Amino acid sequence: MDRDAALDRVEAIVDAVESETLPVPVREVWVYGDVALGLDPLDRLDVYVTKDILLRGDNEAAAEFEANHGVKGVGKSVRAEWARENPELIRANSNGYAAPEKCLAAHLLPDNEPIHLEVCNAPFEDNVTQRLKGALAREKYEQILDPRGVCLYADGQRSPNAMEKLRNGEFAFPTLTGALEMLGVESDEADAAVEAMRTYRAEQTGTTVRGDVV
């Protein structure tokens, strides 16, 4: 993916988060990995969003959308207002419930571009730590989040200069192995983790999305 095109896509995502009604409120937008490092072209664009969980359910909307669209949970897991405006973008999980991460991907991303979207209720930096602990404990290294990230939007405010620095390649990060070692991973295990992460990532195609709850 051409770097300029990738950054244009990232900017469009931040624009949407800032100005459009989304399936769920979004509190943070980060990019991480290759795009943060200034690589051109990119194998994949990695984007992380922190979402808020809806606290008040809309039982009437839930019943309406289950009857009319066969999808449960609208008005509870995703906003009813958004679903009414964008019924074609409603996406469900395997249990038939509206899936916030899939709905966000449908709203924010075009089909089949090499983009991975991570969606979680926890901030990026907190989830990096939590995912690392879990992945190391289970030796599921491919589940580690690359900690080298750049925050573009947080709590209703765009970063005043992060996008410009991204476009100019001004961010400096260690190697992925070095970044994991800085988080306390032993050298040999960091090397094994990086290899597993790269292998897993190389197998991904098109647009992918992962939802996580911490």
Side-chain angles (χ1 to χ4, degrees):
M1 190 176 191
D2 177 78
R3 181 173 181 78
D4 286 340
L7 292 176
D8 288 345
R9 177 63 59 204
V10 170
E11 199 148 23
I13 290 171
V14 176
D15 288 344
V17 168
E18 191 173 49
S19 63
E20 298 176 13
T21 299
L22 298 179
V24 288
V26 170
R27 192 164 67 252
E28 293 184 356
V29 179
W30 291 67
V31 292
Y32 62 98
D34 288 356
V35 66
L37 300 177
L39 298 187
D40 188 12
L42 311 175
D43 290 334
R44 295 183 69 74
L45 169 62
D46 293 299
V47 180
Y48 183 100
V49 300
T50 304
K51 72 175 183 65
D52 284 330
I53 296 174
L54 301 181
L55 298 179
R56 288 185 288 179
D58 186 334
N59 292 326
E60 184 176 338
E64 170 194 339
F65 278 89
E66 185 171 0
N68 296 336
H69 298 274
V71 178
K72 303 173 185 177
V74 172
K76 296 180 178 180
S77 58
V78 301
R79 286 167 163 158
E81 176 189 4
W82 172 84
R84 292 191 177 101
E85 292 175 357
N86 304 279
E88 75 285 0
L89 299 180
I90 300 171
R91 302 289 186 269
N93 60 25
S94 59
N95 295 320
Y97 282 84
E101 72 281 1
K102 293 183 178 181
C103 293
L104 277 169
H107 187 116
L108 295 173
L109 306 179
D111 291 333
N112 296 321
E113 286 191 356
I115 302 174
H116 178 67
L117 181 69
E118 285 275 344
V119 180
C120 187
N121 63 304
F124 175 78
E125 292 168 312
D126 292 347
N127 202 18
V128 163
T129 303
Q130 292 299 318
R131 285 270 289 276
L132 180 63
K133 289 178 180 177
L136 294 178
R138 298 188 300 272
E139 295 188 1
K140 294 287 188 180
Y141 299 132
E142 71 279 0
Q143 296 180 1
I144 294 172
L145 268 175
D146 189 331
R148 300 167 300 175
V150 176
C151 184
L152 302 175
Y153 176 93
D155 297 324
Q157 298 291 325
R158 297 172 85 117
S159 169
N161 53 22
M163 182 59 70
E164 181 181 359
K165 287 185 175 182
L166 270 181
R167 288 194 181 276
N168 293 333
E170 296 180 18
F171 290 100
F173 292 100
T175 64
L176 181 51
T177 301
L180 295 180
E181 290 176 349
M182 290 171 66
L183 292 173
V185 183
E186 295 294 331
S187 177
D188 289 347
E189 191 168 25
D191 288 337
V194 168
E195 184 62 28
M197 292 167 70
R198 287 176 176 162
T199 299
Y200 177 78
R201 194 168 183 268
E203 295 170 348
Q204 309 307 301
T205 60
T207 303
T208 56
V209 59
R210 184 183 192 278
D212 200 8
V213 176
V214 175

